[in-house]
Structure formats: structure tokens, C-alpha cells
Amino acid sequence: MTMTSMSRTRRLAMLAAAILLVGFHLGLVFSGIVPNLVARPLHLALILPWVFFFATPRGRVAGLFGMLLGAAGIAAAIWIALNADRLADQYGFVETWFQYVVGAVLLLAVLEAARRAIGWPLPLIAAIGLLYAGFGQYVPGEFGHAVLPAASLMGTLTLAEGGIFGQLAGVSVGVVAIFVIFGAVLNAGEAGQGFMNLSAAAAGRLRGGAGKVSVVASALFGSISGSASANVASTGAVTIPAMIRLGYPRRIAAAVEAVASSGGQIMPPLMGAGAFVMVELTGTPYTQIIFAALLPALLYFVVVWFGIDAYARRFNLGALPADQRPSLQEVAITSAFFAVPFAVLLGGMFWIGYTPQYSAALAIISGSLLLLFGADMRMDLARALTRAETALIGAARQVAMIASIILCASIIVGVLAMTGLGVKITSLILSASNGQIWPTLILTALACLVLGMEVPTTAAYVICISVAGPALTSLGLEPLQAHLFVFWFALLSTITPPVCGAVFIAAGMAQENWLRVAATAMALGVGLYLIPIGMVAQPDLIRLADAPVPAVIAALLVGGGCLMVAYGLISVQGLWKSALALILGLGIIYGLPALI
């Protein structure tokens, strides 16, 4: 077989696998209730080919091992789905040696899939968790646990809904996958250009216009993508060169894009599907979550906007040239490619009352129809087919990567529940902080930062809230307040050294030293560090739906304090003046509420 025919065969195989994956997840939305122990194993079976079969080869031995493990994992997952009724009657206990083999294959496949998707840290934590579950009875002191029978441990983690196929897997199947597909469909057409045109029209005429265009575009795009790195890679390819051409120092151009892209994940209405994950974990209505998240997200971008304006003043950075700003006709036409699907999504949820998943499925259909057209308003079937293929394969790859991470995190959550380790860690946090809320918040923030260094935001959020959430709520935080605090701090690692993914990518695009970019990004994105604690210092900040006036007052105080801190970091020249601005800003956020 020639290389050309092999390439064609591989492409057809990928397309067929992508159609199966996308069709399955859309079918779940329209088919009604499907048993969890059917839907979740099939979800695993459909994502494994993208990790083991279609990924870039890593050597002959690794490739062969991946093919064998992937095939075995797919077979094991399908076997679970076919025998779901029988397994449900076993109540999480293994009954035969064959079921032990199936469970072992599933665990190994999930760990290796996560390793290939994001590297060693998360699967290593999961593997240590499995060892702890198996041998924790030999651990002395309070961190030991009672003997867990092998039949119960293996059965709960792999044959029931207590581990790999637990609640997080349900989130991956029913929520994350649908919104990833939605984002892939939008990105395959003219929606990305629509974001850029709308942003350029809204902010391009202002001082430092290129940077402000980046902020608006990344806020729009990032809410859909759910990945700061993906956001930098897509919008940054346009905005970073544009900023450099217009006189932005390279470190600032890269930092602006990294900070703006990171903020997209906290921006309603989608929050990169994070809002819907929060719905599943808290039971809080979706509308309440987006209202709670709205003011903090707006404050974040206001602070970033202020920082860009300060840099624009310092370096005399002007607006986008007129020839780089789109006409109103271009804005209107290209904006429709994301406005129509968004209208379908939001109209379905808020006007008709459909579930978010059903509304997203309808939005996917509308977005798919728009792939037939381009900004030239011509219907082009060949172009539409190419875009459809791009959307299908892009969606499948992204679903597979995120699902690999979430399913691996499910092992950790399962171990925490079975061994009682989660409760013990909560007790340790409370003990270390002496039962005080602020030390507990600092410990939680550090845990989120460390875990988020190699784990995507959603997975870091889920694991941290599983461990630290009970400690935060036991000290008086409302559940939604605790979840938003952890979700925000799970983002810290996107711009905070030593591992800061968004900064690395942006620095590479700008050809600048990443440490210089990181230092600038931390100053620009200072709201990411201050606003979550502001949610605790001023709880009214997240009560926009219930108490709009106190919420706005709280936003003004927190926002004013953040702007003062940003002013001290960016605008003020001189150590003492900067220190005074920082102290005053922090006092406005955290000291003033205590005096009122």
C-alpha cells in the first residue's frame, strides 16, 4: 500500500470515528434516558481511538502497545455496556476472574490515555490513589483505612458508577462533549472571523486598540473553547502579530493575549462548559450560576482593559489603522455566524425552557447549516464538506482529550470516596488553618495552583472542590461561593510560573522570553488573584440575581480596589508610591467591608 493510499485510509478511518463519536453524543440528547452504565462506557470506547490509534506515533514499541491497549480498552468498555443490566445486580462487586481482567484493562487504558493526553502528573496521582486504596490499611495513624476487599474495590471503580463511570463521567458525556462539539462547529466556519470583526469594530478605534481587540475577542471565543491554550493558539495568531506591528513591546503583546484568553473560561454564558459542570456538581440552577459569575468576570476584563490602557499611554500606542478595521457590512455578515447559533442556544434555554444540552444540540444543527455559507454569502457545498470534516475531527480530538482527563480524575474522586481520604484531607486543612477561613482559602488557592500546573482547569477544579469544598462550606461559605472560588483559582496556572501554559504559547508566538511575559501577565491579570477572595470578603458580589443593588456596590468596591492595585503595578513609578497604591487597593477590597 502506498503512502498516499495509507494516508487516505487513515483520513477515512478518522472521519468515520469522528462521525460515530459526534453522532453518539447528539443521539444521547435526542434519545431520552439511556442507562449510565451504557452511555458512559460507550463514551470511553469512542474516545480511546483518538488517543491510541490516531495520535502522533511515539515510536514503534509505544505505537504497538497503544494499539493493543486501545483495542483491549474499547472491547472492555463495550462489554460493560452490553452487560449493564447484569452488572447492576452485582452492586459493585466482581464475581469472576474475567471481570477482574476487564477492570484491570479499563484502569490501565484510562491511566495511559490521560498520560498520553497531558503527561504524567494526573495519572501518577491517580495511580498513587489506587495504591493507597489497595494498601492503605498498612498506613499508620489517622490516614490509614479499613481493608477494602479486592472484589469491592475493583468492582466499584470499574464495573459500577463509583469510579471511572461515576458522576464526572456523566458530566463528560452529557455536558462537556456537547459544548465541545458546539465550539468545534463554530470554529470551523466564519464564527471566529466574526468574533475578530466585532471586536475590531468595538475596540479598534480606541487607544491601544489592538490589545483591546484581543480582550474582546478572547472573552467571546474563550467562553466557548474552555481552554486558555486553545484560545491563545487561535485568536493569538491574529492579535499578537497585529499588536507587535502597531508598536506593542513583544512581552506586552504576548501577556495581553495570555491574560485575555485565560479570562474567557470565567465568562458567562458558557464559561467553557464550566457553568454546566458546576450545575451538575452543586445542583444549582444554571441561571443562578451565570448571574453569580457575571459581575466577577466583567470586573476581571475591566481590570485587564485598564492595564492595557495604561501600557498604551506609556508607549504611545494608538488605534488600529482604518484599513485594518472591518466595515459595518463585514461585521454584520460575519457576526451572524456566531450570533444565530448563540441565539438558538440562549433562546432554547431561557425562552422555550429546554435543557442546556438540548439547546446546545439545536445550536449545533443551526451552526452546521451555516457552514454551507461564507462571508461572501455564497453557498458552496465543497467548502461546506471541508468545514464539516474539520468540525467533526476537531470535536472528536477535543472531546477525547478532555474525556481522558475527566475519566482519570474520576478514579481519584472514587478513591477519595471509598477510603474516606477526602474527609481526612478536609480535616487536615481545617486543622492546619486552625479553623480560620482566610488560612483555609490560602491553602486551597495553593492546592489549586499546584494541581492546575499540569491539569486543565475543569479537572483541577473538580479534584480541588472534592477535597477542599467541604472545608470551605464548613467554615461558612455558601456552596456556590466555594465552587466559584475554586474554579477561579484553578485558572491561576495559566499565567503563573513555573508552569503557565497560556504564557508559554503566547511567548513563543511573540518570540519573547517567557519569564518576562509571565511577569507582565501577572500584573495585567492581577484580578485573577484578587477577585476570588473579593467574593469571600464581599459575598454580595455573586448575588446579582437576588440583590442587584448590593451586588453592584460590592462590584464597585472590589473593582476599585483591583484597579488601584493594577495602577500600583503598572502605572506608578517609584517603589513607595507603588506600595502605597497596593496597600490602598487591598484595603478597599478587604479592609473596608469590615468597617461598614
Side-chain angles (χ1 to χ4, degrees):
M1 185 181 290
T2 65
M3 291 297 294
T4 303
S5 60
M6 287 176 64
S7 177
R8 187 181 301 113
T9 301
R10 176 183 172 85
R11 178 184 160 209
L12 290 174
M14 291 173 65
L15 185 57
I19 291 171
L20 272 176
L21 186 148
V22 172
F24 170 75
H25 289 94
L26 286 174
L28 284 179
V29 174
F30 294 111
S31 63
I33 297 176
V34 175
N36 291 336
L37 219 50
V38 173
R40 296 172 188 179
L42 290 179
H43 175 65
L44 172 60
L46 288 168
I47 66 106
L48 288 179
W50 294 94
V51 181
F52 292 114
F53 300 165
F54 303 137
T56 304
R58 305 187 182 194
R60 182 171 297 180
V61 175
L64 179 60
F65 172 73
M67 295 286 284
L68 293 174
L69 182 58
I74 292 168
I78 292 174
W79 184 86
I80 296 284
L82 292 175
N83 294 274
D85 291 339
R86 193 178 104 199
L87 293 173
D89 294 333
Q90 294 181 198
Y91 300 104
F93 278 83
V94 174
E95 293 185 347
T96 66
W97 67 267
F98 177 75
Q99 292 181 0
Y100 274 110
V101 173
V102 168
V105 166
L106 288 172
L107 288 173
L108 186 58
V110 168
L111 291 173
E112 178 63 9
R115 187 193 70 80
R116 293 187 178 214
I118 57 165
W120 279 104
L122 181 63
L124 192 60
I125 293 171
I128 293 171
L130 289 172
L131 289 174
Y132 174 76
F135 302 100
Q137 65 268 25
Y138 301 113
V139 176
E142 62 178 303
F143 279 91
H145 62 75
V147 176
L148 294 173
S152 173
L153 177 61
M154 181 65 83
T156 302
L157 289 176
T158 62
L159 306 183
E161 298 176 29
I164 293 174
F165 304 123
Q167 184 184 16
L168 288 187
V171 172
S172 181
V173 176
V175 178
V176 175
I178 289 296
F179 283 93
V180 167
I181 295 168
F182 176 50
V185 169
L186 289 186
N187 291 335
E190 301 283 354
Q193 189 59 47
F195 287 144
M196 294 303 301
N197 286 345
L198 180 62
S199 305
R205 299 174 184 274
L206 304 175
R207 179 175 48 239
K212 293 171 181 176
V213 167
S214 173
V215 171
V216 178
S218 295
L220 293 170
F221 181 84
S223 185
I224 296 173
S225 73
S227 168
S229 298
N231 200 346
V232 173
S234 54
T235 60
V238 177
T239 59
I240 290 176
M243 284 187 271
I244 293 172
R245 280 197 308 270
L246 294 173
Y248 273 78
R250 292 180 181 272
R251 67 177 176 88
I252 297 177
V256 166
E257 181 56 44
V259 170
S261 294
S262 298
Q265 293 183 82
I266 55 176
M267 190 67 187
L270 301 187
M271 297 165 64
F276 302 105
V277 176
M278 214 170 287
V279 168
E280 295 290 327
L281 296 181
T282 65
T284 305
Y286 168 74
T287 51
Q288 186 175 338
I289 286 175
I290 62 168
F291 273 114
L294 183 59
L295 284 179
L298 291 176
L299 286 182
Y300 174 82
F301 283 105
V302 166
V303 175
V304 175
W305 189 283
F306 172 86
I308 293 170
D309 195 71
Y311 280 126
R313 287 176 183 273
R314 183 188 300 180
F315 295 101
N316 195 28
L317 303 172
L320 277 177
D323 61 349
Q324 294 185 26
R325 296 198 296 265
S327 67
L328 289 178
Q329 182 180 6
E330 288 178 290
V331 173
I333 292 173
T334 55
S335 295
F337 287 92
F338 69 82
V340 170
F342 259 95
V344 172
L345 172 68
L346 298 178
M349 285 192 294
F350 297 119
W351 184 38
I352 303 177
Y354 291 147
T355 64
Q357 294 92 323
Y358 195 88
S359 301
L362 295 179
I364 289 169
I365 293 171
S366 68
S368 300
L369 292 175
L370 288 174
L371 294 180
L372 289 166
F373 302 92
D376 54 11
M377 297 306 292
R378 288 191 305 106
M379 180 184 288
D380 189 328
L381 185 58
R383 179 176 60 189
L385 290 174
T386 301
R387 288 176 170 178
E389 180 180 347
T390 300
L392 286 165
I393 292 177
R397 286 192 187 281
Q398 188 73 0
V399 168
M401 189 197 74
I402 295 174
S404 298
I405 296 162
I406 290 179
L407 292 171
C408 186
S410 296
I411 296 174
I412 299 170
V413 174
V415 168
L416 290 175
M418 292 183 69
T419 61
L421 182 61
V423 176
K424 294 169 186 175
I425 294 176
T426 297
S427 299
L428 181 65
I429 292 173
L430 291 173
S431 175
S433 62
N434 199 28
Q436 300 296 310
I437 186 64
W438 292 108
T440 302
L441 291 173
I442 292 170
L443 289 173
T444 303
L446 289 173
C448 290
L449 173 61
V450 172
L451 187 60
M453 285 180 182
E454 287 288 351
V455 178
T457 303
T458 302
Y461 152 63
V462 167
I463 297 171
C464 278
I465 201 65
S466 299
V467 174
L472 296 176
T473 53
S474 70
L475 291 175
L477 265 66
E478 299 170 2
L480 184 55
Q481 196 177 18
H483 277 256
L484 283 171
F485 176 86
V486 170
F487 188 75
W488 270 64
F489 269 109
L491 270 173
L492 283 184
S493 62
T494 60
I495 62 171
T496 308
V499 180
C500 35
V503 164
F504 287 154
I505 296 172
M509 287 181 163
Q511 298 180 341
E512 177 60 279
N513 179 278
W514 71 269
L515 279 173
R516 297 187 69 207
V517 175
T520 307
M522 292 170 69
L524 268 176
V526 68
L528 195 60
Y529 303 86
L530 301 181
I531 294 171
I533 302 179
M535 297 179 199
V536 179
Q538 304 227 32
D540 285 336
L541 181 62
I542 62 171
R543 293 173 182 159
L544 181 62
D546 302 323
V549 174
V552 171
I553 293 173
L556 291 174
L557 286 171
V558 174
C562 289
L563 290 176
M564 184 62 69
V565 171
Y567 179 72
L569 292 173
I570 296 172
S571 295
V572 175
Q573 302 298 312
L575 180 61
W576 288 109
K577 291 181 180 178
S578 294
L580 182 61
L582 294 176
I583 293 170
L584 184 59
L586 293 173
I588 291 172
I589 299 172
Y590 310 126
L592 192 57
L595 301 176
I596 296 178

